[in-house]
Amino acid sequence: QVQLVESGGGLVQTGDSLRLSCAASGRTVGSYAVVWFRQAPGKEREFVAGMRQSDASTLYADSVKGRFTLSRDNAENTVYLLMNSLKPEDTAVYYCAATLRSLTTRHWTYDYWGRGTQVTVSS
């Protein structure tokens, strides 16, 4: 079983960058499909980006494509989400999640979750 802890959130201005971290413990993060979801107040939890365990290939939501980049550091057992050109609509709590099954964009298919980190982008 893997434990996930997110960090790196904060308050930034439009156009700024942030790097979120999803630190895994208990199991090797490369064994899991790891994804980021986000949830804004009053809205559904939505898929942001994910990385497959098989080949570390990535998938991004259209809303973040070209601005957000996933990477994985096996030595640190951590997955990173680099967020550039942030917009006010990116404001949300960002959650890291993992599954031993295949990557999906559906949050209910994920078994392991972190507690989230708040990202606030001011205009």
Side-chain angles (χ1 to χ4, degrees), residues 6 10-11 31 47 55 57 68 77 86 111 117 122:
E6 304 96 334
L11 172 63
S31 301
F47 172 81
D55 57 2
S57 60
F68 290 11
N77 215 30
L86 282 163
D111 305 305
T117 185
S122 64

Side-chain angles (χ1 to χ4, degrees), residues 38 63-64 67-68 85-92 94 119 121:
R38 66 186 180 187
S63 58
V64 307
R67 299 189 298 124
F68 290 11
S85 303
L86 282 163
K87 305 175 182 179
E89 50 263 46
D90 294 318
T91 295
Y94 284 70
V119 172
V121 184

Side-chain angles (χ1 to χ4, degrees), residues 12-13 27 56 108 117:
V12 296
Q13 295 184 331
R27 293 284 298 271
W108 57 91
T117 185

Side-chain angles (χ1 to χ4, degrees), residues 71-119:
S71 62
R72 186 176 74 199
D73 186 328
N74 292 330
E76 295 293 326
N77 215 30
T78 299
V79 172
Y80 299 100
L81 181 67
L82 176 61
M83 306 186 296
N84 293 325
S85 303
L86 282 163
K87 305 175 182 179
E89 50 263 46
D90 294 318
T91 295
V93 177
Y94 284 70
Y95 297 92
C96 176
T99 181
L100 287 170
R101 296 183 294 271
S102 298
L103 184 149
T104 79
T105 62
R106 300 180 292 274
H107 62 83
W108 57 91
T109 65
Y110 286 84
D111 305 305
Y112 307 103
W113 290 84
R115 292 189 173 185
T117 185
Q118 176 71 47
V119 172

